[in-house]
Amino acid sequence: MACPGPQPEPGAGPAQPRAAGPAYDTASDATAVVAGNGTVVGWTRSAQDLLGYRAPEVVGRSGGALLAMAEDPVRVAGIAERCRAGVGWRGIADVRRRDGGRIELDLRVSASFHMDGRECFLVSGRERRPERIVGQSVLDAFLAGSPIGMAVLGPDLRYVWMNDTLERFSGVPREHRVGRTLGEVLPGLEADSIETLMRGVLDTGIPVIDYEYLGWTWADPRRERAYSTSYLPLTDGDGRVTGLCYMVLDVTDRWNAQQRLALVNDAGASIGSTLDVMRTAQELADFAVPRFADLVLVDLLEPVVSPDDPGTWPTGVGLSGPELARTATTPATTSASGSGRPRMRRAGMRSVREGCPEAVSRIGEPVDFLPPPHGLRFLAEGEPVLIPVLDPDDHAWAADQPARAASIRAHGLHSLICVPMRARDTVLGLTTFIRSDTPAPFEPDDVLPAREMVARAAVCVDNARRYTQEHTSALTLQRSLLPHTLPGGTALDVASAYLPADAKDGVGGDWFDVIPLSGARVALVVGDVVGHGIGAAATMGRLRTAVHTLADMDLPPDELLAHLDDLVLRLSDEEPGGDGHGGPPVLGATCLYAVYDPVTQSCTMARAGHPPPVVVAPDGRVSFPELPAGPPLGLGTMPFETARTTLPEGSLIGLYTDGLIEGRDRDAELGMARLGGALAQRGLSLDALCARVVEQLVPVPQPDDVALLLARTHELSPDHVASWEIPTDPAAVAGARAEAARQLSDWDLEELAMTTELIVSELVTNAVRHATGPIRLRLLRQSVLTCEVSDTSSTSPRLRHARTTDEGGRGLFLVAQLTRRWGTRYTPDGKIIWTEQEISAG
């Protein structure tokens, strides 16, 4: 080599190998190819950027012209011999820039190689800066000991030269690589795409820096590795690209760290999309296969899988880890075999093989698997278990898990990680990650992402478990508060529908009711409590109970709403923030209360801030009776008023909440028109009509609860009613008894004659003695026999227990014993004392 002699670093021997120093990027080094006679035959753009010379100005000329130092032929010859021996050389040289300036370079010369039939050397250098002049022990040997693999390829993309690092990366000896292409040497890499990229560098002369790819190599055929490469074109004196130099760095550790971080981040977005325990467990399995494992099994404790069934909760579950461990031997937490294994159920699994043939248990089946030799304490307190190499012939597996050992052997399961699922000091189950098709076993670095994935899934499972418990409690509460039957009696045919705002929660504050009253009358009520959830349901239950109590007192609708309004005010004062001094109420509700009398076919109604009812006449005409609006319950500012309407036989009356008519357009008037049109449909049963109306008006979930109560009216015909005017004369009592007896005979109810005569005698006698006329006796025959005596007095008789020495006072006591129920209701003209007797089926 005829170039003048660059000088080695001070204190350094002639190109002695050095200890590895900190790695650095060499892709930006100025690189050139120099022939054995010192002529430059290849010039890169990085060399042009550093020294200012373009390729046509350098290629074909002696490289010595670039040196700004005295020639030393003896040293140059020594360097050439060393490079021909395959060792390479590095040192320091002063180089002349195109602008006349001088620059000190850290210069490296490769071992010799042949290109186009002539001996060549790869010369690379970078500017030597003061902060990098730290001595021979810090810098790596550029070619022989560099952590960066380097190679020179000819224009046909066949290897011309490579360093030792690249040979170590690939596991392919130098003699098997030189003269071959990348695809011929390493067919497992992305050979086609990489060679296409290199051809682009040859065609355009534009280098490609930091191109990353994944591949398998002969040096490590079981594990996929990541590489970062840079491709630099080599040009001749005419500027033509005659080959390229590429550098490759193994970045597998960095790539694996990035993949593990991305895996954990993506898990948070993919797991826990629902509040369903089984779905969450399956989402964990679906997410981890195949990007982390080839088979994932998620097993949850029995009470976690069925949190809505209190009977399955074993002792210790839901406790902290140590508490569960202390109860590990209780029958509720262990399998029937008493082996100390937990009672779990397969909640999720996924495999790269269709149908998961490797799994011993299916979804929903009981499981008691723990990795040998661990016991129940492992779930409560244990750390994740890594088994890099599964040996099915190991005694622990063969004796303790024979079925699983057979599956391991049959399907080639070779590596395993078991992670206990715990959240908020609650033990939930176990997740197992297994590899079979993936040749690389699990490593210790894989335990952390496995733990993080399971931890995130465990929080979601625990949230789902807690939600299911609370949701079940709320639904149980609401089911206990809503009516199970709607007793319309002979006066009404009734149908109802309830649709919560959140179909998943199923808990709201709307309610409806049908309450039998005295005198064959029936009360219809519908209400709406502000808000949703268990709080609104609890308030609804209190109001519904209050309405039943007030209805039993036979209060008219306006008085009943007034008492209900007082109750809501008191409830508001009991709530946090209620001041009882005219501030805004914490609780709020609306209500409509209607009483239908089948004898008179009249319906008396009052409302508290609630939409009016809808009435469909027998001829199909739809109307919304005009009712005084009244304020919502809990304001206590205005009185309530009643309105009366007549409902002929076969009329349909509908009570509803605003969620049915407002819809998403929030137009109540348009919603009422749609409701009237839907109710006018003919040819449907009442239940079918009720369902059809809700389906038409609420086709999609609404932001408010929906309740609909439909009732078709029946008249109590005159042949079921008998009444008489009774004179205010004690002698008229006997005549009243006789009239009642004759009427019962006409109704074929002779078995009730004696009891009815006694009741009539007592009630009429009390009216004659203690009240004023007119007095009226009325008998009603329906599902029960009703006896009513009305007068103009507002004083109600009082049931008392007479002493043995009293001559009277036992009449009402006897009446109470002989009837199903009895009571008093007040009218604008006085009161009515009524009784009811059961009528036998015969």
Side-chain angles (χ1 to χ4, degrees):
M1 186 166 63
C3 59
Q7 301 299 315
E9 288 186 68
Q16 295 297 322
R18 291 191 282 166
Y24 50 87
D25 184 16
T26 62
S28 61
D29 285 359
T31 306
V33 178
V34 179
N37 61 0
T39 303
V40 178
V41 296
W43 191 254
T44 64
R45 181 166 297 183
S46 57
Q48 174 181 330
D49 294 339
L50 181 63
L51 301 180
Y53 298 101
R54 293 182 294 106
E57 298 174 318
V58 178
V59 174
R61 301 181 181 182
S62 172
L66 300 176
L67 299 176
M69 54 193 303
E71 296 185 1
D72 189 348
V74 175
R75 183 171 297 278
V76 170
I79 293 173
E81 289 303 319
R82 182 178 180 85
C83 294
R84 290 188 180 102
V87 179
W89 179 92
R90 64 170 303 279
I92 300 170
D94 290 336
V95 180
R96 183 180 294 107
R97 293 176 52 86
R98 189 175 186 277
D99 57 8
R102 296 175 54 161
I103 184 172
E104 190 177 43
L105 296 183
D106 183 3
L107 202 64
R108 298 164 179 81
V109 182
S110 74
S112 65
F113 59 92
H114 288 78
M115 184 172 68
D116 295 336
R118 57 181 172 178
E119 183 184 42
C120 293
F121 302 88
L122 185 68
V123 181
S124 177
R126 64 171 57 189
E127 183 178 4
R128 183 177 177 83
R129 295 184 174 88
E131 62 271 17
R132 294 174 55 192
I133 304 177
V134 292
Q136 183 80 14
S137 62
V138 177
L139 300 175
D140 297 325
F142 177 61
L143 299 175
S146 173
I148 300 175
M150 301 181 64
V152 175
L153 284 76
D156 56 356
L157 296 183
R158 296 185 179 275
Y159 284 92
V160 176
W161 171 88
M162 60 182 287
N163 69 348
D164 296 342
T165 304
L166 185 60
E167 184 178 13
R168 186 172 63 254
F169 281 171
S170 64
V172 179
R174 181 181 282 103
E175 58 271 19
H176 292 167
R177 185 186 286 259
V178 174
R180 294 183 173 90
T181 64
L182 178 66
E184 294 172 348
V185 175
L186 297 170
L189 287 174
E190 300 177 11
D192 292 341
S193 59
I194 294 176
E195 289 181 349
T196 300
L197 185 67
M198 292 191 292
R199 288 192 185 93
V201 175
L202 292 176
D203 293 341
T204 63
I206 300 175
V208 174
I209 308 299
D210 288 335
Y211 172 77
E212 293 190 357
Y213 64 89
L214 302 176
W216 308 83
T217 66
W218 294 110
D220 190 4
R222 299 176 57 192
R223 190 177 305 277
E224 192 175 38
R225 307 196 69 84
Y227 300 98
S228 175
T229 57
S230 297
Y231 304 91
L232 310 174
L234 299 174
T235 57
D236 59 14
D238 297 330
R240 293 177 300 180
V241 177
T242 59
L244 62 84
C245 169
Y246 84 78
M247 304 174 186
V248 55
L249 180 65
D250 189 332
V251 293
T252 303
D253 291 341
R254 184 190 70 188
W255 183 82
N256 286 339
Q258 292 174 342
Q259 294 304 306
R260 293 183 181 113
L261 180 60
L263 182 74
V264 173
N265 289 338
D266 293 346
S270 302
I271 302 172
S273 62
T274 67
L275 287 172
D276 182 88
V277 170
M278 299 290 284
R279 177 70 179 274
T280 302
Q282 187 60 46
E283 285 176 347
L284 170 59
D286 292 341
F287 174 78
V289 175
R291 61 189 299 177
F292 183 73
D294 298 322
L295 173 66
V296 175
L297 307 173
V298 184
D299 302 327
L300 299 179
L301 292 171
E302 284 277 9
V304 180
V305 176
S306 304
D308 56 342
D309 185 1
T312 65
W313 279 91
T315 303
V317 174
L319 303 177
S320 64
E323 291 172 321
L324 176 60
R326 286 194 296 271
T327 60
T329 57
T330 61
T333 55
T334 56
S335 62
S337 63
S339 59
R341 293 177 183 166
R343 295 179 59 186
M344 297 190 293
R345 194 164 292 275
R346 180 64 44 83
M349 66 179 182
R350 183 67 180 269
S351 170
V352 293
R353 298 178 175 89
E354 186 176 357
C356 300
E358 314 97 312
V360 176
S361 301
R362 303 287 98 185
I363 296 290
E365 293 181 355
V367 183
D368 61 358
F369 168 72
L370 288 177
H374 298 276
L376 188 62
R377 186 177 293 274
F378 166 68
L379 290 181
E381 302 173 353
E383 293 296 314
V385 170
L386 167 64
I387 305 178
V389 179
L390 277 175
D391 182 6
D393 297 323
D394 182 84
H395 175 73
W397 286 94
D400 194 42
Q401 305 278 345
R404 292 180 174 86
S407 179
I408 292 172
R409 190 178 298 106
H411 297 95
L413 312 183
H414 63 81
S415 189
L416 172 146
I417 296 178
C418 282
V419 184
M421 294 188 72
R422 296 189 291 264
R424 303 183 183 96
D425 293 328
T426 301
V427 180
L428 303 173
L430 179 70
T431 300
T432 305
F433 303 92
I434 304 174
R435 283 183 177 173
S436 56
D437 288 5
T438 302
F442 285 116
E443 299 177 334
D445 288 342
D446 293 320
V447 174
L448 180 59
R451 184 203 297 266
E452 289 297 321
M453 282 190 292
V454 173
R456 298 195 180 200
V459 171
C460 296
V461 168
D462 192 49
N463 288 341
R465 177 185 67 85
R466 292 167 180 259
Y467 164 79
T468 303
Q469 284 182 290
E470 295 178 3
H471 181 230
T472 301
S473 299
L475 286 179
T476 301
L477 172 63
Q478 188 173 45
R479 291 191 188 105
S480 68
L481 297 177
L482 288 174
H484 298 285
T485 59
L486 298 175
T490 58
L492 297 172
D493 293 331
V494 183
S496 64
Y498 174 76
L499 187 65
D502 188 344
K504 295 180 180 178
D505 287 345
V507 180
D510 289 7
W511 92 94
F512 52 88
D513 225 328
V514 178
I515 306 172
L517 302 176
S518 63
R521 297 169 306 133
V522 179
L524 303 173
V525 57
V526 65
D528 185 356
V529 174
V530 173
H532 309 288
I534 194 169
T539 302
M540 174 269 287
R542 301 172 79 173
L543 295 184
R544 179 172 179 260
T545 302
V547 170
H548 269 268
T549 302
L550 296 172
D552 285 343
M553 296 171 63
D554 264 323
L555 295 178
D558 54 344
E559 292 186 26
L560 184 143
L561 292 181
H563 285 286
L564 200 61
D565 185 54
D566 292 338
L567 172 64
V568 174
L569 283 173
R570 289 195 299 274
L571 293 178
S572 299
D573 292 341
E574 294 173 5
E575 288 292 313
D579 53 18
H581 298 289
V586 176
L587 300 174
T590 64
C591 184
L592 171 62
Y593 185 80
V595 177
Y596 173 69
D597 188 342
V599 178
T600 62
Q601 301 180 57
S602 65
C603 185
T604 306
M605 298 172 281
R607 60 178 175 142
H610 204 82
V614 57
V615 175
V616 181
D619 59 3
R621 288 181 296 106
V622 179
S623 63
F624 292 86
E626 292 291 338
L627 298 183
L633 299 173
L635 297 181
T637 56
M638 295 174 59
F640 301 97
E641 301 179 38
T642 61
R644 187 185 301 270
T645 186
T646 300
L647 299 177
E649 170 84 17
S651 297
L652 180 66
I653 181 171
L655 282 65
Y656 51 90
T657 56
D658 54 8
L660 182 66
I661 59 173
E662 290 185 352
R664 297 194 177 275
D665 54 16
R666 312 301 295 176
D667 190 336
E669 292 187 2
L670 179 60
M672 292 170 65
R674 288 196 293 257
L675 173 61
L679 287 175
Q681 300 178 77
R682 300 281 185 164
L684 295 175
S685 66
L686 198 60
D687 289 328
L689 178 62
C690 187
R692 178 72 63 83
V693 169
V694 173
E695 180 182 353
Q696 290 181 357
L697 270 64
V698 191
V700 296
Q702 299 294 321
D704 197 5
D705 303 324
V706 172
L708 175 62
L709 178 64
L710 297 182
R712 195 177 302 280
T713 64
H714 297 291
E715 177 190 6
L716 193 60
S717 59
D719 59 345
H720 287 70
V721 181
S723 63
W724 302 271
E725 291 283 349
I726 306 299
T728 56
D729 181 356
V733 174
R737 288 200 305 267
E739 292 289 349
R742 281 193 293 270
Q743 185 62 54
L744 293 180
S745 177
D746 293 341
W747 285 344
D748 295 328
L749 298 176
E750 288 87 352
E751 70 276 7
L752 299 179
M754 182 179 296
T755 304
T756 305
E757 287 184 39
L758 178 59
I759 294 170
V760 169
S761 177
E762 178 59 31
L763 297 184
V764 172
T765 298
N766 282 342
V768 170
R769 288 182 178 179
H770 305 292
T772 59
I775 300 173
R776 175 171 290 276
L777 169 64
R778 187 171 72 162
L779 297 180
L780 304 175
R781 179 171 70 94
Q782 43 168 346
S783 58
V784 295
L785 176 64
T786 303
C787 178
E788 298 179 343
V789 176
S790 61
D791 57 52
T792 57
S793 172
S794 60
T795 302
S796 176
R798 180 172 61 89
L799 178 66
R800 65 187 182 90
H801 295 275
R803 295 189 296 265
T804 57
T805 58
D806 292 342
E807 295 183 358
R810 298 179 179 84
L812 281 181
F813 179 78
L814 292 175
V815 169
Q817 299 300 312
L818 295 174
T819 60
R820 186 180 72 164
R821 62 176 187 151
W822 73 281
T824 303
R825 73 174 182 270
Y826 293 92
T827 66
D829 301 325
K831 69 176 183 298
I832 297 175
I833 309 298
W834 56 269
T835 66
E836 290 181 357
Q837 300 176 73
E838 295 285 358
I839 297 178
S840 64

Short mmCIF file of all heavy atoms in Angstrom, two decimals, residues 120 132 311 389 405 436 528 535 537 826:
data_model
loop_
_atom_site.label_atom_id
_atom_site.label_comp_id
_atom_site.label_asym_id
_atom_site.label_seq_id
_atom_site.Cartn_x
_atom_site.Cartn_y
_atom_site.Cartn_z
N CYS A 120 -7.83 -4.73 -2.02
CA CYS A 120 -8.40 -3.47 -1.52
C CYS A 120 -8.40 -3.49 0.00
O CYS A 120 -8.33 -4.54 0.65
CB CYS A 120 -9.82 -3.26 -2.03
SG CYS A 120 -9.93 -3.00 -3.81
N ARG A 132 -13.06 13.00 23.06
CA ARG A 132 -12.97 11.58 22.74
C ARG A 132 -11.54 11.05 22.85
O ARG A 132 -11.31 9.88 22.66
CB ARG A 132 -13.51 11.33 21.34
CG ARG A 132 -15.00 11.58 21.23
CD ARG A 132 -15.48 11.47 19.81
NE ARG A 132 -15.14 10.20 19.22
CZ ARG A 132 -15.25 9.94 17.92
NH1 ARG A 132 -15.65 10.88 17.11
NH2 ARG A 132 -14.94 8.75 17.46
N GLY A 311 -74.58 -18.34 47.86
CA GLY A 311 -74.40 -19.66 48.43
C GLY A 311 -73.08 -20.32 48.06
O GLY A 311 -72.66 -21.26 48.69
N VAL A 389 -38.10 -24.89 31.21
CA VAL A 389 -38.16 -26.16 30.47
C VAL A 389 -39.11 -27.10 31.20
O VAL A 389 -38.84 -27.51 32.33
CB VAL A 389 -36.77 -26.79 30.33
CG1 VAL A 389 -36.87 -28.11 29.57
CG2 VAL A 389 -35.80 -25.84 29.64
N ALA A 405 -49.44 -33.90 32.38
CA ALA A 405 -48.15 -34.41 31.90
C ALA A 405 -48.31 -35.07 30.53
O ALA A 405 -47.46 -34.90 29.64
CB ALA A 405 -47.57 -35.39 32.91
N SER A 436 -45.43 -23.56 23.11
CA SER A 436 -45.26 -24.85 22.45
C SER A 436 -44.70 -24.66 21.05
O SER A 436 -43.59 -25.09 20.75
CB SER A 436 -46.59 -25.61 22.41
OG SER A 436 -47.59 -24.83 21.76
N ASP A 528 -92.41 8.42 39.29
CA ASP A 528 -91.07 8.55 38.73
C ASP A 528 -90.21 9.28 39.75
O ASP A 528 -90.46 10.45 40.06
CB ASP A 528 -91.13 9.33 37.41
CG ASP A 528 -89.77 9.38 36.71
OD1 ASP A 528 -88.79 8.89 37.29
OD2 ASP A 528 -89.71 9.93 35.60
N GLY A 535 -80.10 4.00 44.86
CA GLY A 535 -80.68 5.07 45.67
C GLY A 535 -82.08 5.42 45.22
O GLY A 535 -83.00 5.57 46.03
N ALA A 537 -84.03 3.45 43.52
CA ALA A 537 -84.89 2.29 43.77
C ALA A 537 -85.34 2.25 45.22
O ALA A 537 -86.50 1.92 45.52
CB ALA A 537 -84.14 1.01 43.41
N TYR A 826 -114.44 7.88 53.76
CA TYR A 826 -115.22 9.12 53.89
C TYR A 826 -115.59 9.64 52.51
O TYR A 826 -114.83 9.49 51.53
CB TYR A 826 -114.42 10.17 54.66
CG TYR A 826 -114.20 9.78 56.11
CD1 TYR A 826 -113.06 9.09 56.50
CD2 TYR A 826 -115.17 10.08 57.06
CE1 TYR A 826 -112.87 8.71 57.81
CE2 TYR A 826 -114.98 9.69 58.39
CZ TYR A 826 -113.83 9.01 58.76
OH TYR A 826 -113.65 8.64 60.07
#
